Amino acid sequence: MLFDTSPIRTFSFSGSSPSGDRLLQLTFWSCVLLALFLQLAASPPLAHAQDDRRALAAAIDDVLDGDDLRHAWWGVHVVDAETGDLLYARNPQRPFMPASNVKMFTTAGALLLFGPEHTFDTSLYAVGDIDDGILRGSLVVQAGGDPTIGGRFFEDNPVHLFDAWYDALSEAGISEVRGELLADLSFFDTTPLGQGWAWDGPPARYSAEVGPLSFRENTFELRYRGGQLGGPATLSWQPSTAYIQIQNESRTVSQNSGFRHRVDREKENNMFVVRSQVPTGNTISRPVSVHNPALYFLHEFRERLQERGLHISREMRTQSEPVLSLSGATSNHIHTHASPPLQKILDEVMVESQNLYAEAVIRSIGAEHHIGNNNRDRGSAAAGAAAILDTLAAIGTDTSNVRLVDGSGLSRRNLATPESLTSLLVAMDRSAPGDVREAFRASFPTAGMNGTLRYRMRQGAASGNVRAKTGTLSHASALSGYVTTLSGRNIAFSVVANHYTVNSSHIRRAQDSIMHILAGYRGR
């Protein structure tokens, strides 16, 4: 019982005023009745809230405990982003491979450290004397970490920068270069792949080599046209450059056999062996990544200059130490190209899960926001990760159980707990400056509408509502982000699965089911 009423005596009224003893009893009963009224008034919403959360938990449990999913390692954490109230948890503090959910840390850290309008600069210098249109020295490209040159922002003209630089060289009176074409790659380290990546993997776009100087996202487009049954397919590639050598061992198969893309590249050069199967009559294109992207850039730049009549006498090379400070010669600034604003780059990182951009960004952070006095790892992914985690911890993110080794999540050595992922989401929503918070939220793909979620949750309460980052590796799948419930609550969630043996489509369907449950939640 809420109150013990055993000592209280009953009484009756006469017509006269109550005595002091009876007045005391009336006052006591009034207090009891008021307390009971307040308790009854408060209890139903609390009870309803508890019932709502129990129902929510039961609905999510039903999904996760399905026959084909029960053996997966599931980690789920769902909180109210405004109040921090816990709505659901399963293994919230267990470390998981987050796959591309790592991009949330990279994006949040970059926005906080650089700001949404930051750009990455790539500059061209003429080093030496200019005499009667002849540069008696070298052209130097000073790399600044821009991963977008010639890429998806400039699809109508991938060589836009090379044409701008030709025009700038002409304005400077240079029509011939008697020296070499040199790339200064000192901005960040030139380790081509991330820690824990598959160094023997295929030359795919998702694992393109990383460097401070990029061109066409460090890929070329390989085009197939099926020929006569049993014979080789016809191959072409864009750009049609001598930098790429292809050995055609492809085979044309029947229409019902399906397309099979298989390309191998020798480790230290750009000799590609194509062993793909192409259905007869089909025309298909696939991106393929190159080795040594800085030399790829220089090769294509030189070819474009020579097409337009500017001759370079000597060879191309790259240098990892600063060129201008070591040359001692006269340097003339020709032109500086600025990347699109960081927010647009990060939109590609998050919406399309663009790995190269994420890797360039984390190394740029390591170059410009290095922590400590040890300069050996300046400009590395490790230095960028340290700066990101330090910055996120400062706004309230629990980074104690986060391990970052790259910026994209392609490495299987990254670890994060579901609780740390929602901690990041809540901290960015509560504590980040307004422009950063808005840019961060805007960078997420939207269910049923764009990016990696364009074909998921296309109907129901989750469609157009869930804004979340996907993550996929073999035997690892993650989905983390924000959703608004039917009752108007702003929810931060993380749903991660590792070590499953079923097809990944089963895991994605389970994640989507949970999103529909959260979006349809009416509780307070």
Side-chain angles (χ1 to χ4, degrees), residues 269-512:
N269 59 42
N270 284 291
M271 170 58 74
F272 296 85
V273 180
V274 179
R275 298 187 174 94
S276 304
Q277 294 183 174
V278 186
T280 181
N282 282 22
T283 300
I284 301 167
S285 297
R286 289 293 185 272
V288 180
S289 66
V290 301
H291 172 63
N292 200 333
L295 272 182
Y296 182 39
F297 180 105
L298 293 182
H299 192 282
E300 296 308 293
F301 180 33
R302 178 175 176 159
E303 283 196 355
R304 188 61 175 173
L305 290 180
Q306 294 187 155
E307 283 174 9
R308 299 193 63 180
L310 195 156
H311 179 68
I312 300 176
S313 300
R314 294 172 61 188
E315 294 303 311
M316 303 166 292
R317 68 182 178 91
T318 63
Q319 183 170 310
S320 57
E321 296 81 22
V323 173
L324 300 180
S325 62
L326 297 177
S327 68
T330 302
S331 61
N332 303 280
H333 176 255
I334 302 300
H335 186 269
T336 292
H337 168 75
S339 73
L342 178 66
Q343 180 174 357
K344 288 189 176 182
I345 295 174
L346 295 177
D347 286 349
E348 293 295 317
V349 168
M350 293 284 280
V351 172
E352 300 298 339
S353 209
Q354 222 291 345
N355 289 339
L356 175 68
Y357 290 9
E359 295 302 331
V361 167
I362 195 172
R363 287 163 175 76
S364 295
I365 292 172
E368 298 197 30
H369 296 278
H370 181 267
I371 298 173
N373 298 320
N374 182 358
N375 288 327
R376 287 183 301 175
D377 66 347
R378 183 181 293 276
S380 66
I388 288 170
L389 293 179
D390 187 68
T391 300
L392 295 178
I395 66 163
T397 304
D398 179 7
T399 60
S400 59
N401 291 308
V402 179
R403 300 292 180 269
L404 299 183
V405 303
D406 67 13
S408 64
L410 190 56
S411 174
R412 302 181 74 86
R413 297 183 185 180
N414 294 301
L415 291 173
T417 66
E419 194 170 65
S420 66
L421 290 162
T422 57
S423 174
L424 166 67
L425 294 164
V426 171
M428 288 296 289
D429 219 41
R430 288 182 179 179
S431 304
D435 60 336
V436 169
R437 179 174 63 251
E438 291 174 9
F440 182 68
R441 268 192 171 259
S443 71
F444 285 83
T446 303
M449 296 182 66
N450 64 350
T452 56
L453 288 180
R454 62 171 61 88
Y455 300 118
R456 295 176 61 175
M457 296 170 274
R458 302 181 74 176
Q459 296 179 340
S463 181
N465 178 1
V466 171
R467 300 187 68 96
K469 183 71 198 79
T470 56
T472 304
L473 291 171
S474 57
H475 312 294
S477 179
L479 187 70
S480 301
Y482 303 100
V483 61
T484 302
T485 69
L486 279 180
S487 57
R489 297 183 74 164
N490 177 28
I491 299 300
F493 63 84
S494 180
V495 183
V496 189
N498 281 183
H499 304 294
Y500 52 84
T501 55
V502 297
N503 190 287
S504 292
S505 62
H506 293 236
I507 302 297
R508 290 192 291 271
R509 281 197 295 270
Q511 291 167 339
D512 294 355

Side-chain angles (χ1 to χ4, degrees), residues 2-3 31-48 524:
L2 183 60
F3 298 99
C31 291
V32 169
L33 292 173
L34 178 61
L36 287 171
F37 174 81
L38 292 175
Q39 176 69 14
L40 290 172
S43 293
L46 179 60
H48 290 163
R524 286 181 283 177

